[in-house]
Amino acid sequence: MAFLENLLLVTLAGLVTALATGLGAIPFFFVRDVNNRMNVVLWGFSSGIMISASLFGLLREGLAEGTPAELAVGMAAGVLLVVSAHNVITNAEVDPRQYEEADFKKLLLILGVLTVHSFPEGIAVGVSFADLGIEGGTTIVGFTVPVLAVFMTVAISIHNVPEGTAISIPLRAMGVSRWKMVWWAVFSSLPQPIGAAVAFTFVRLARDVLPYGFGFAAGAMIYLVLTEFVPEAMELGAELPSGGKPEFVGGAVAGALLMVPLNFV
């Protein structure tokens, strides 16, 4: 019975981090229309967030858990995921009554990759709860919770907010409603409570696969930015002065500056 109670607590912690992703869509409740210049800036901002989170968050954590070779294998698998997802989505049947065909495919690709990438973060939460119930932690609602678990849950929740913004940027450009943006942002992180529960149950195995998981997520995110976000921004900025490159770079720098400190929380 105690194990089930502990498992429930860990799953709830993962759910908290997932719900935090939805907060990233809140700014769009105050913004109606986004012109091409602003869209380019936002795509750059989104790219800066993802590249920074990959380099200074996922890869840094991966190196702390494993070897560069293990990370490289994970990254290659992540790139393979994006390539495979792109091929599947390119041939997928779409409903033109909901979205333009290209936009719907891009929506599926972005959400699919981000959903998969959130699973290793859930694993990290579950692993941090490995010592749940053992002396030396802090007491929360009757549970002795490891300090590491508290910091990990808070850190990933903070980390997920700008990721929710990154998800909402392309959705907003596609005309998706605000509340649906909140839902899709949360949806992309729903694997986190699942990953937390699995990792807590099989913590020894989870520790072994963590380096591959972090590399997998980083490879998928970086490749997605390079093959989807950058081309989309350049297409939107084609008619702007200098092809929209200054706007894109400015947005990317802003996104990186936001994420770098959060990755060291």
Side-chain angles (χ1 to χ4, degrees), residues 5 9 28 41 46 54 62 76 85 91 140 148 151 164 170 188 207 231 254:
E5 292 175 350
L9 178 63
F28 291 91
V41 173
S46 176
S54 297
N91 298 321
I140 300 178
L148 173 62
F151 281 113
S188 73
R207 285 192 184 277

Side-chain angles (χ1 to χ4, degrees), residues 75-155:
M75 291 183 71
V79 171
L80 182 61
L81 166 74
V82 178
V83 173
S84 300
H86 187 274
N87 290 337
V88 170
I89 292 169
T90 298
N91 298 321
E93 295 294 330
V94 298
D95 183 358
R97 293 172 297 178
Q98 290 185 312
Y99 301 96
E100 293 182 6
E101 182 174 345
D103 285 347
F104 185 75
K105 290 176 179 176
K106 192 179 298 295
L107 169 64
L108 289 178
L109 181 62
I110 292 169
L111 287 173
V113 171
L114 289 174
T115 298
V116 172
H117 119 265
S118 72
F119 190 76
E121 294 177 354
I123 291 178
V125 172
V127 169
S128 70
F129 274 90
D131 295 329
L132 181 63
I134 298 177
E135 292 184 5
T138 182
T139 301
I140 300 178
V141 294
F143 293 87
T144 303
V145 180
V147 175
L148 173 62
V150 176
F151 281 113
M152 184 65 72
T153 302
V154 172

Side-chain angles (χ1 to χ4, degrees), residues 144-250:
T144 303
V145 180
V147 175
L148 173 62
V150 176
F151 281 113
M152 184 65 72
T153 302
V154 172
I156 291 182
S157 295
I158 295 173
H159 173 276
N160 279 354
V161 174
E163 285 199 354
T165 303
I167 293 168
S168 298
I169 288 169
L171 296 179
R172 180 59 176 164
M174 295 173 197
V176 176
S177 69
R178 294 176 177 86
W179 283 110
K180 284 186 178 180
M181 286 193 297
V182 174
W183 156 245
W184 284 119
V186 173
F187 176 83
S188 73
S189 290
L190 285 183
Q192 287 181 7
I194 299 172
V198 171
F200 177 69
T201 305
F202 304 101
V203 65
R204 293 187 184 275
L205 176 61
R207 285 192 184 277
D208 291 338
V209 302
L210 262 180
Y212 299 100
F214 282 123
F216 181 91
M221 287 177 65
I222 292 172
Y223 191 77
L224 176 65
V225 168
L226 295 179
T227 60
E228 293 293 330
F229 283 31
V230 175
E232 177 72 15
M234 294 301 96
E235 181 179 344
L236 288 171
E239 298 181 358
L240 298 176
S242 301
K245 293 181 179 65
E247 289 83 356
F248 180 82
V249 172

